[in-house]
């Protein structure tokens, strides 16, 4: 009989079980606790056996949810019992009842240490498990080295080592500053060579923690993980005991793939190839089978493989295969697979290029939104939220609105918040946005936070053309019989401000509007009444000519509330009454509210906070932020292959051409600096610092987080005229030069070496760029993002191309809607080699403020370079045949910042030169080759040799050769500029001095002005 | 740093009585009571056609029902749900191997053995061992000794 010897415990459990109700149970438990307390107190000489019995009872009572505030000492003392059964109970109960901060635990440290370093492996295991579960700082201090020794000890059996590995994991997690893991990379790698799958399972958990903390140190473990995965996935040498329904330890497979996801990438080509083969095998070889357990286990592995494929920069084909699999999963009946399909598809959204494929499954996802299982609904909602953009916002938001009426009660708040955010982010037009929010308030008023209706008021206030529409809608809703109080608030506010715009419509006289609102007054709470009073006061002043009857009605209301007990209502009533008797003075004070300053949507902030910030989510966010601009939201999307109507072609202007004999350093004059960017604007009201930058999240590829704040710093002084004043007083025009909130020179420089990123950003607009280059052709896409809740108007973009580039810009819309982004393509053809830079002349108006900026476009010479490797046999004949100027030019460059040879290699590599290793026998020299593409030269081979002087790294000799004299010269100058500019990177001047606006419309003159 | 994967393992019967509770993060008694009440209410209300995952606060419950007994495992949001679901089954099969067709009463009256097994399988929220023979060997050793 398994329970022999613990009869008392069995009787007690059975007694508790037989209790008829909770009260009787409590009595029985209290009696037992009293009994145990007495025994512990009176009988000092309790046998270990008796102690063991009582300690189990304590654990049982504790599990039932009763407080056990004594007897901890007895549990801890059992740890030192000589016999295994008592010792074991001591260890297990202690780790259940106590936590790492418990004083009694300290008493046990010595015993625990002796057990760990002792020879008895069963005691070792118990002690390691206790420390692994509740060990704190003091344990880490006194035990970490011993535990580390055990993990790799050859005299220890796997059962001890696996526990030691997880014990170390605990100590490291709890006190990373105490546990020294320097040099652990090698030991981890050694540990991963272990054959025993138990040890590997435990070690893999340890590795995940170590790698997630510092992946760089553990890259040697990467190929080992791939090997382990290969061994399991191909079922090589896996003992039967570790095979689960025919699948080699699914848990270890999953853990191993998880570890691999903590490495940013896999560079080693062999590991990469092996891994992709294994992943392909998993993706293709997982079939649906009848046995539930087998099916679950194989799909556990499959889903982890999908996650790993997403993480690794996999081939598009493989990614499409993943999306196809997920598409299959979200359509199955089996709820677990469907749930996971939805969850993983949402994760997949962060991978570029698959969004479009995911969109095809929209209908299927919407079916899951309506599933009776709330877990599945949540995943579907999340996925819809993530995949929403301007192309499908209308459909998705309308589905969400529809679903509101039938959704589970616990989903309503999240659902309405998400619908509100999507409507705000992707509204194709603002009247639709107003419709959505009003519908939300109507259907789920209780779940709509104040933020949501505040936001719609902001939009309406800031957009003149929306006000009439909103007022009409507000009247429509208030006409309905039972109206939610929030609806009364928002409608009363809007009607107070803008109902005069409806005056000519039937049923919209001031008197009628007043009575519609006033009908609701008896139904609302005191917090809403002040809003109604303000609305009345506003209606009153907008009534021209004055209406005596209406005035008397409203005054009666004011008089009634003059003695209201609520101070806010009373004050408003008294003041409005007094003011409205003053006549003309009222006009100014009760005029329409001024435009709101731009501020961050509190909704979106709230949504971010609500996400809870678990590690996974933040990792996704982090990765999402690193995505280039294909994640952009685009309104007015032009199909990329449509030939766009040229806007300012034919203005190919002659720019200062570089003369052949001019070997002076050009880099300074060419380096785009902030002086080149001239922004003038009139700004009566500085926008507040909390910009809507988060709305344009995907565009904010590398925006420094503090930039907006810094802007406020620079721009607010002198702009103190408060918003209240501006409502009444005509705005005095005032010219300021404002700072963009990014360093334009740095942005440009960064974009010289990569193909997507932010080109420019100020408080109103963000300009992003994405480019693709093929031979001498280039296709750029410019993204203009309006960061405001008001439209940007008079948008103009003019390209000032240098002589060697043919550039065609599609038409830019005159207006960018509030917080929308528009994209327009720009086709580039490289005619001939030149280092000149194209300029984008961009202007827009925000309210009354005009902004004009000129930006260099990163369509540089290096974008037309294609690295090519050249063998010794090809190189030397070429090199010799291009003998001397002007096809081969040589120059000594001095005054460089000392640079290691590898650094220089990286630099050359970054702009498209292929280094040929070992071609030059002198190790201090570099030889490189590339193909330059232009209409004139076609693809032309260029050869470069750089000789460095190990004694003096500040100088070098550069020799360039190609079949075209201009190309040779331009490329030489280009490389020199890059070498020099990297040396002389100076911080941009803090503030650009106001430069006079160039008024000439001649692009050539403009450009000359810019470059001088 | 990566958090632990498994936060707690609960065994609860269909009346909502806890039959075993093992936490891998420290919670006060009040917190445990509240948590068990909330999640048991959530999970027990679900039917067979619904999925085995329930989102609760900022983590997930993966659960499985065997006759009158529910096994509930609280995990981090990014944990592999199906792997945990099958881990529950592995635990049940291990108990089956020891008790022979395990039932609620076995776990109730042999609480210590259930704890011993769990202790061999999970440590500090990570899976240590998945071989049933290895999991059961300390218990068998002890039974031989007594």
């Amino acid at each position: 009989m398994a329970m022999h010897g613990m009869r008392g415990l069995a009787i007690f459990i059975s007694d508790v079980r037989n209790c008829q109700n909770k009260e009787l149970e409590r009595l029985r438990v209290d009696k037992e606790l009293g009994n145990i307390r007495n025994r512990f107190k009176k009988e000092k000489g309790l046998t270990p056996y008796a102690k063991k019995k009582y300690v189990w009872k304590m654990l049982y009572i504790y599990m039932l949810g009763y407080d056990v505030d004594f007897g901890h000492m007895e549990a801890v003392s059992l740890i030192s019992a000589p016999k295994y059964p008592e010792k074991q109970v001591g260890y297990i109960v202690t780790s259940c009842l106590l936590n790492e901060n418990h004083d009694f635990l300290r008493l046990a440290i010595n015993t625990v240490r002796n057990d760990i370093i002792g020879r008895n492996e069963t005691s070792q295991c118990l002690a390691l498990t206790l420390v692994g579960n509740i060990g704190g700082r003091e344990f880490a201090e006194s035990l970490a080295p011993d535990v580390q020794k055990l993990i790799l000890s050859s005299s220890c059996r796997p059962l001890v080592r696996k526990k030691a590995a997880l014990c170390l994991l605990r100590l490291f997690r709890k006190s990373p500053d105490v546990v020294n893991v320097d040099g652990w990379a090698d030991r981890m790698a050694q540990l991963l060579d272990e054959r025993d799958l138990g040890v590997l399972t435990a070690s893999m958990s340890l590795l995940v923690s170590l790698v997630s903390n510092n992946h760089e140190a553990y890259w040697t473990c990467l190929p080992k993980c791939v090997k382990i995965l290969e061994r399991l996935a191909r079922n090589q040498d896996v003992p039967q005991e570790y095979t689960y329904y025919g699948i080699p330890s699914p848990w270890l497979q999953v853990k191993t793939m998880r570890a691999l996801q903590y490495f940013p990438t896999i560079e080693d080509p062999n590991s990469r190839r092996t891994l992709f083969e294994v992943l392909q095998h998993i993706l293709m070889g997982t079939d649906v089978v009848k046995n539930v357990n087998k099916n679950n286990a194989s799909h556990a592995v499959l889903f982890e493989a999908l996650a790993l494929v997403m993480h690794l920069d996999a081939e598009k084909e493989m990614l499409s295969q993943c999306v196809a699999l997920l598409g299959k999963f979200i359509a199955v009946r089996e709820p677990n697979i469907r749930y996971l399909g939805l969850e993983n598809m949402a994760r997949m959204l962060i991978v570029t290029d698959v969004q479009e494929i995911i969109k095809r499954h929209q209908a299927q996802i919407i079916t899951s939104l309506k599933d009776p299982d709330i877990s599945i609904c949540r995943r579907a909602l999340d996925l819809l939220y993530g995949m929403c953009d301007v192309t499908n916002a209308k459909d998705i938001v309308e589905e969400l609105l529809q679903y509101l009426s039938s959704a589970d009660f616990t989903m309503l708040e999240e659902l309405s918040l998400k619908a509100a955010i999507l409507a705000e982010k992707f509204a194709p037009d603002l009247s639709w946005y107003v419709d959505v929010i009003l519908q939300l308030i109507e259907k789920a008023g209780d779940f709509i936070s104040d933020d949501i209706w505040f936001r719609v008021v902001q939009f309406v206030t800031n957009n003149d053309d929306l006000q009439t529409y909103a007022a009409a809608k507000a009247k429509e809703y208030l006409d309905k019989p039972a109206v939610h109080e929030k609806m009364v608030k928002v409608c009363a506010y809007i009607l107070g401000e803008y109902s005069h715009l409806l005056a000519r419509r039937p049923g919209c006289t001031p008197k009628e509007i007043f009575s519609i609102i006033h009908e609701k007054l008896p139904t609302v709470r005191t917090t809403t009444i002040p809003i109604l009073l303000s609305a009345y006061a506003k209606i009153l002043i907008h009534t021209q000519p004055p209406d005596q009857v209406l005035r008397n009605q409203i005054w009666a209301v004011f008089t009634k509330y003059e003695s209201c007990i609520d101070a806010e209502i009373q004050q408003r009533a008294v003041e409005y009454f007094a003011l409205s008797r003053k006549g003309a003075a009222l006009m100014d004070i009760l005029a329409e509210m001024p435009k709101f300053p731009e501020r961050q949507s509190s909704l979106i902030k709230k949504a971010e906070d609500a996400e809870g910030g678990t590690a996974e989510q933040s990792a996704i966010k982090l990765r999402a932020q690193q995505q280039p601009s294909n994640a952009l939201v685009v309104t007015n999307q032009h199909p990329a292959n449509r030939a766009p109507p040229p806007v300012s072609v034919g203005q190919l202007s002659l720019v200062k051409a570089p003369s052949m004999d001019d070997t002076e350093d050009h880099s300074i004059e060419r380096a785009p600096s902030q002086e080149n960017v001239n922004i003038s604007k009139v700004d009566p009201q500085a926008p507040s610092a909390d910009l809507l930058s988060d709305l344009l999240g995907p565009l904010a590829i590398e925006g420094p987080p503090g930039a907006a704040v810094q802007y406020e710093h620079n721009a607010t002084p002198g702009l103190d005229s408060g918003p209240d004043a501006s409502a009444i007083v005509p705005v005095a025009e005032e010219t300021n030069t404002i700072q963009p909130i990014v360093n334009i020179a740095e942005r440009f420089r960064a974009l010289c070496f990569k193909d997507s990123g932010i080109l420019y950003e100020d408080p109103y607009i963000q300009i992003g760029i994405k480019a693709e280059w093929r031979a001498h052709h280039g296709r750029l896409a410019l993204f203009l993002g309006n960061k405001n809740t008001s439209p940007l108007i008079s948008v103009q973009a003019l390209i000032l191309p240098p002589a060697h580039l043919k550039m065609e810009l599609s038409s830019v819309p005159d207006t960018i809607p509030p917080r929308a982004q528009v994209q327009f393509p720009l086709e580039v053809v490289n005619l001939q080699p030149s280092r000149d830079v194209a300029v984008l002349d961009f202007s827009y108006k925000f309210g009354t403020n005009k902004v004009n900026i000129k930006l260099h476009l990163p369509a540089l010479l290096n974008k037309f370079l294609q690295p090519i490797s050249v063998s010794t046999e090809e190189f030397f004949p070429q090199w010799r045949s291009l003998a001397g100027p002007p096809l081969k030019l040589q120059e000594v460059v001095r005054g460089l910042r000392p640079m290691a040879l590898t650094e220089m290699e990286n630099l050359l590599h970054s702009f498209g030169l292929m280094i040929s290793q070992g071609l030059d026998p002198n190790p201090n020299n570099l030889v490189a080759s590339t193909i330059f593409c232009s209409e004139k030269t076609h693809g032309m081979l260029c050869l470069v040799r750089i000789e460095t002087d190990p004694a003096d790294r500040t100088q070098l000799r550069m020799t360039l050769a190609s079949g075209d004299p201009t190309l040779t010269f331009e490329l030489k100058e280009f490389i020199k500029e890059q070498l020099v500019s990297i040396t002389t990177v100076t911080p941009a001047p803090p503030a650009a001095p106001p430069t006079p606006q160039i008024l000439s419309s001649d692009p050539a003159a403009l450009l000359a002005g810019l470059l001088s | 740093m990566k958090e632990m994967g498994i936060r707690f393992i609960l065994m609860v019967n269909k009346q909502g009585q806890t039959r075993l509770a093992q936490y891998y993060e420290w919670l006060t008694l009040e917190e445990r009571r509240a948590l068990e009440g909330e999640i048991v209410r959530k999970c027990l209300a679900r039917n067979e056609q619904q999925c085995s995952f329930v989102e609760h606060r900022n983590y997930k419950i993966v659960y499985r029902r065997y006759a009158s007994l529910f096994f509930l495992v609280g995990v981090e949001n990014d944990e592999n749900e199906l792997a945990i679901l099958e881990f529950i089954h592995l635990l049940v099969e291990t108990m089956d191997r020891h008790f022979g067709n395990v039932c609620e009463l076995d776990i109730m009256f042999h609480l210590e053995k259930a704890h011993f097994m769990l202790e061999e399988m999970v440590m500090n929220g990570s899976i240590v061992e998945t071989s049933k023979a290895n999991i059961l060997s300390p218990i068998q050793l002890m039974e031989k000794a007594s």
Side-chain angles (χ1 to χ4, degrees), chain A residues 884-911:
Chain A
L887 295 181
K888 189 192 252 173
L889 295 172
Q890 191 166 71
E891 185 178 339
V892 174
V893 186
R894 293 202 170 82
L896 296 168
R897 175 175 64 87
M899 200 188 302
L901 214 57
T902 48
E903 195 184 337
M904 197 177 296
E905 277 178 19
N906 288 338
L907 183 69
L908 293 177
H909 183 75
S910 73
F911 48 80

Side-chain angles (χ1 to χ4, degrees), chain A residues 1-4 6 9-10 13-14 17 25-26 56 59-60 62-68 84-85 88-89 91-92 95-99 122 126 128-130 132-133 162-164 166-167 169-170 172-173 176 196 198 201-202 205 208-209 212-213 241-242 244-245 249-251 254-255 258 262 292-297 299-301 303-304 335-337 339-340 343 347 372-376 378-379 612 614-617, chain B residues 1-5 7 11 13 17-30 32-33 36 42 46-56 58-61 63-64 66 76-91 93 97-99 104-105 107-113 115-117 119-135 137-139 141-143 145-146:
Chain A
M1 171 67 192
M3 279 307 294
H4 69 274
M6 293 232 272
L9 176 62
I13 291 173
S14 154
R17 182 166 175 252
E25 181 187 288
R26 171 169 284 284
W56 271 117
L59 184 66
Y60 187 77
Y62 184 65
M63 186 195 77
L64 291 176
Y66 296 95
D67 199 6
V68 180
Y84 180 72
Q88 185 189 34
V89 175
Y91 271 119
I92 290 184
S95 67
C96 287
L97 291 180
L98 304 190
N99 68 16
T122 48
L126 287 174
L128 288 167
T129 309
L130 175 97
N133 281 327
K162 70 187 183 195
K163 298 212 167 187
L166 284 174
C167 182
L169 169 58
R170 160 90 189 187
F172 177 63
R173 239 184 225 159
D196 183 274
T201 305
S205 288
V208 167
S209 241
S212 70
N213 190 46
E241 264 300 309
Y242 284 99
Y244 182 81
Y245 288 90
S249 181
W251 301 283
V254 164
K255 202 62 154 183
R258 188 53 67 92
Y262 282 93
V292 175
N293 300 304
K294 184 179 174 128
N295 212 34
N296 283 341
H299 282 78
V301 173
F303 277 111
E304 204 61 46
N336 287 344
I337 301 291
Y339 174 96
L340 293 170
E343 180 179 50
R347 289 181 181 157
D373 182 349
I374 191 170
S375 297
I376 288 179
R378 279 235 160 81
R379 288 302 109 226
T614 63
E616 171 71 5
Q617 278 162 330
Chain B
M1 203 184 303
K2 180 75 187 76
E3 295 289 307
M4 67 171 82
R7 292 173 170 223
M11 296 177 202
N13 70 11
Q17 295 163 312
T18 307
R19 290 302 176 218
L20 184 143
Q22 176 72 58
Y23 288 83
Y24 297 100
E25 61 180 340
W26 178 256
L27 296 179
T28 64
L29 195 68
E30 286 69 37
R32 288 180 185 214
R33 270 200 293 238
E36 287 173 26
K42 264 194 182 178
R46 294 170 65 81
N47 63 38
E48 297 278 322
Q49 283 81 48
Q50 298 184 322
C51 69
S52 313
F53 321 122
V54 175
E55 295 164 23
H56 184 71
N58 56 341
Y59 53 90
K60 259 181 210 177
I61 319 289
Y63 74 95
R64 213 163 170 163
Y66 294 88
E76 298 291 323
N77 263 322
D78 64 346
E79 191 60 49
N80 187 310
E81 295 90 343
L82 286 177
I84 297 295
L85 194 63
E86 284 317 296
F87 187 69
I88 294 176
H89 192 68
L90 177 73
L91 172 62
E93 286 190 345
R97 191 184 277 194
H98 183 76
F99 294 113
E104 186 187 336
L105 290 183
I107 294 168
M108 207 172 155
F109 285 100
H110 303 273
L111 186 65
E112 78 287 6
K113 287 194 182 151
H115 269 283
F116 296 156
M117 286 178 215
E119 175 132 327
E120 289 301 315
M121 294 177 78
V122 185
M123 220 173 121
N124 194 25
S126 299
I127 296 175
V128 209
E129 185 58 82
T130 58
S131 142
K132 290 177 204 122
N134 286 351
I135 296 165
S137 76
I139 298 183
L141 208 74
M142 199 170 52
E143 289 192 339
S146 57

